[in-house]
Amino acid sequence: MAYVLGGRKLLYALSHGYGLPSLRTLRRYTAFTRIMPTIGTISISDILHNIEEVVFKPRTSAGKTKLRGVNLMIDETALEQRAVHFRHNNQVGGICWRHAPAVNLLLNTYESALKLSDDIKKGTAHLANELTVVAASCFGEGGTYPILALPSCKGLNADDSQKIYETVTEAWDKSGAADKVGPIWSWSTDGAMPRRIAGYRCFLSQKLSPTSPIYATLASMAGLNLYTGCNQITLDFDYKHIFKRICTLLRSTQGIVLNNGRVINPAMLARYLIRLPQHSPESVQKMLYPHDPQDVPRAIELLEAVVAVGELDYGNMDANTCGDVDALRLLGSVIKAILEPFTNVHMSLTEQITSLSTFAHLSFTLFRVSRTQYMSNQLYGDSQTMVKNAIFCLAKQQVLDPNEPFYIFQVGDDPLERLFGKLRMLGGHNTAMSYAQAIDRLGDASDLQGAFMRNPDLDQSERRLNMSRSEGVDHLSMGSFTGNLIAGSCHLPERMGRRSR
Ligand SMILES: [Zn+2]
């Protein structure tokens, strides 16, 4: 921990000052986690190695044996465009996986180096500018396990994404992880286009079989889409990204149009947000036109303000204001229904599911009436998919172990984004990283996580208090929630409305 968090100099000081083992001693007597880099194209054997090193070993040594539902997450982070040499197999890494099979990555002779450099110049292969990471997380537990780190180029399409989904899913099965850790329940992404197309292709391909143990529960729920991928895996879109995308709509001139034709856009919102007691023209301006539209706490602040505007008492109104307020009240209740299960830590699981179900039904109605004036096809589909996934995961938890809590905030790909944050932190002031550095840092992050997993009392991030709600949503942990979240306490069909015959 001293080495990974504080660096070589801190470890040197501690080993001289307090007699801790030196880095050289550590290297000799302990095994640092090594993520297998992908050199050439994606391969099952690399993933199998990573599952063994990153998932099995630390979980075994931390005594984690309970079977969990697994969420696989995929996302990418920036990579410095640079070729790197891997000594273990004398190959060149950092070349995009998609186009690497076209070139020879073995460095046998000086000529092979020249040939590779030439191929890159000609564009036969590319220096990767992105790192695509697939990581696993477990429902009911902390911990993020990177099991694939692919150097990628921008030119990836849906077929490439599909290849990643299929290869990792297959590797998880082959490794025996389904029996050691748990079955894959969901695949979460942020909603980038190629991944969305591939996701709908892979995970809405077969209808849930009547022989499935979750069929009886889910088939009786009105309007629920019963299509999944193999092994009943469902697709998920990260909820924080959905919040941001709703804000992007609200901040656009076209805005959101509900069934009474009122356009809810920044011009209209500005007139009403200012009525909220805690807001000034400056703060309203900041919410509607933020410097960084990707800022999640700011997005949640805007959504919460719209909910509050919908709940204000307007007294006597003229007809025009009445129309606006009607639209704002309806929009406020739609937003509240999707937002609260993730931000209100006092809700019970039953209340959370009721809320998401409310969102799904309201949103369905509004989309039927106003179509893309209400939301884009993609955002509508992704948000419904997110709700559906939460319901499938809960149904699976009820079968796996109804006495365990189910944490709705654990859907989505947030743990992976936090892992990227850690990689940047481990790089100190230098956020740029080559592929080799990224591989090292992923290993370091895994070692650090393993140490905390074995000694949870040393982890400060488990204890974060005194945060405002919109800031707090970025730091939620299982301990933040106070309501009854026991999976078996929620009767699903009642929350969704029964399917009529
Ligand atoms: Zn490429």
Side-chain angles (χ1 to χ4, degrees):
M1 285 169 71
Y3 171 59
V4 169
L5 283 173
R8 218 175 264 270
K9 284 186 175 171
L10 179 65
L11 184 60
Y12 180 88
L14 289 176
S15 74
H16 281 71
Y18 292 96
L20 293 194
S22 68
L23 189 55
R24 186 183 297 185
T25 313
L26 281 175
R27 290 226 160 105
R28 205 176 308 146
Y29 293 103
T30 50
F32 285 91
T33 300
R34 176 113 187 106
I35 305 267
M36 187 60 78
T38 295
I39 300 166
T41 192
I42 182 171
S43 97
I44 287 202
S45 61
D46 293 344
I47 306 171
L48 288 175
H49 168 275
N50 290 337
I51 292 175
E52 179 69 36
E53 290 297 311
V54 179
V55 189
F56 291 170
K57 284 188 182 168
R59 283 180 63 82
T60 308
S61 63
K64 290 191 185 290
T65 51
K66 200 168 171 54
L67 218 53
R68 302 283 183 181
V70 171
N71 179 27
L72 291 181
M73 304 161 285
I74 178 166
D75 201 356
E76 59 247 343
T77 187
L79 209 56
E80 200 184 343
Q81 280 187 288
R82 180 142 58 103
V84 291
H85 179 241
F86 286 105
R87 226 182 312 167
H88 70 276
N89 55 8
N90 190 31
Q91 284 192 313
V92 179
I95 312 293
C96 91
W97 69 278
R98 181 65 183 73
H99 302 103
V103 294
N104 177 20
L105 298 171
L106 254 181
L107 275 192
N108 282 334
T109 58
Y110 179 61
E111 275 66 36
S112 54
L114 288 181
K115 173 80 174 66
L116 181 58
S117 144
D118 207 37
D119 284 335
I120 291 169
K121 275 184 202 139
K122 278 192 295 196
T124 315
H126 312 122
L127 291 174
N129 55 6
E130 281 185 336
L131 178 73
T132 305
V133 176
V134 173
S137 66
C138 296
F139 283 98
E141 268 182 22
T144 310
Y145 310 98
I147 56 174
L148 176 66
L150 281 175
S152 305
C153 67
K154 284 277 184 204
L156 296 190
N157 58 30
D159 291 339
D160 303 323
S161 294
Q162 185 169 351
K163 176 107 183 144
I164 300 177
Y165 288 139
E166 288 171 351
T167 311
V168 176
T169 307
E170 191 185 336
W172 191 263
D173 279 349
K174 268 200 175 157
S175 69
D179 298 322
K180 277 191 186 165
V181 183
I184 304 168
W185 283 356
S186 53
W187 262 97
S188 293
T189 107
D190 56 1
M193 185 65 93
R195 280 203 289 269
R196 172 187 298 111
I197 297 171
Y200 279 106
R201 231 190 254 164
C202 293
F203 305 117
L204 280 118
S205 56
Q206 39 195 282
K207 198 169 180 182
L208 188 66
S209 156
T211 55
S212 160
I214 53 175
Y215 182 84
T217 306
L218 298 180
S220 64
M221 294 167 75
L224 188 71
N225 180 323
L226 292 178
Y227 281 80
T228 71
C230 63
N231 303 334
Q232 303 168 22
I233 298 172
T234 43
L235 178 62
D236 183 28
F237 292 98
D238 182 65
Y239 57 92
K240 287 187 187 174
H241 283 86
I242 289 174
F243 297 162
K244 283 194 278 190
R245 287 158 70 192
I246 296 176
C247 281
T248 307
L249 273 187
L250 286 171
R251 287 165 178 156
S252 68
T253 326
Q254 311 88 286
I256 293 182
V257 179
L258 303 179
N259 56 351
N260 70 353
R262 296 291 160 136
V263 181
I264 304 175
N265 62 13
M268 190 253 218
L269 282 171
R271 276 186 277 131
Y272 290 90
L273 289 172
I274 194 70
R275 297 185 185 221
L276 292 171
Q278 69 275 35
H279 281 289
S280 63
E282 292 74 38
S283 70
V284 168
Q285 183 76 11
K286 248 191 189 166
M287 271 197 297
L288 292 171
Y289 307 98
H291 292 305
D292 174 14
Q294 297 303 316
D295 183 341
V296 173
R298 288 293 84 71
I300 289 174
E301 191 188 11
L302 174 60
L303 295 178
E304 288 184 332
V306 173
V307 174
V309 154
E311 289 173 346
L312 275 184
D313 181 5
Y314 292 87
N316 287 330
M317 294 176 276
D318 57 57
N320 190 35
T321 312
C322 244
D324 283 353
V325 168
D326 269 354
L328 286 169
R329 285 201 173 128
L330 181 54
L331 182 65
S333 45
V334 174
I335 289 177
K336 187 176 181 175
I338 192 173
L339 187 65
E340 259 206 323
F342 301 100
T343 55
N344 180 350
V345 295
H346 306 298
M347 274 181 144
S348 68
L349 183 59
T350 298
E351 287 165 338
Q352 290 170 333
I353 294 290
T354 310
S355 189
L356 287 181
S357 165
T358 305
F359 168 79
H361 285 88
L362 280 176
S363 197
F364 167 75
T365 314
L366 291 168
F367 190 73
R368 290 282 289 187
V369 175
S370 307
R371 296 281 161 182
T372 51
Q373 284 191 301
Y374 163 59
M375 266 184 191
S376 67
N377 292 321
Q378 291 84 355
L379 180 54
Y380 174 74
D382 293 358
S383 53
Q384 292 285 20
T385 301
M386 184 275 280
V387 173
K388 166 190 161 183
N389 174 64
I391 286 169
F392 265 77
C393 289
L394 171 56
K396 290 170 185 172
Q397 181 64 56
Q398 290 178 338
V399 170
L400 182 68
D401 186 349
N403 299 316
E404 279 281 310
F406 178 75
Y407 298 95
I408 244 166
F409 85 102
Q410 289 189 318
V411 300
D413 73 351
D414 199 47
L416 183 49
E417 302 217 1
R418 288 197 206 191
L419 176 65
F420 288 158
K422 272 182 207 152
L423 298 189
R424 285 189 286 273
M425 190 258 304
L426 292 175
H429 301 292
N430 185 9
T431 48
M433 54 183 174
S434 71
Y435 185 54
Q437 285 168 326
I439 290 293
D440 286 346
R441 288 182 202 172
L442 280 169
D444 287 350
S446 301
D447 281 333
L448 197 56
Q449 170 174 281
F452 281 131
M453 213 179 259
R454 291 187 300 275
N455 308 280
D457 50 317
L458 301 183
D459 192 357
Q460 183 209 19
S461 61
E462 292 300 311
R463 314 177 131 264
R464 275 178 175 272
L465 299 165
N466 301 328
M467 260 173 306
S468 77
R469 256 173 76 183
S470 55
E471 298 290 338
V473 74
D474 259 7
H475 307 284
L476 290 177
S477 66
M478 291 182 283
S480 315
F481 291 86
T482 57
N484 176 8
L485 300 183
I486 298 301
S489 71
C490 178
H491 187 252
L492 272 169
E494 266 172 29
R495 310 276 63 87
M496 276 298 269
R498 284 190 182 275
R499 197 177 286 263
S500 56
R501 289 179 185 266

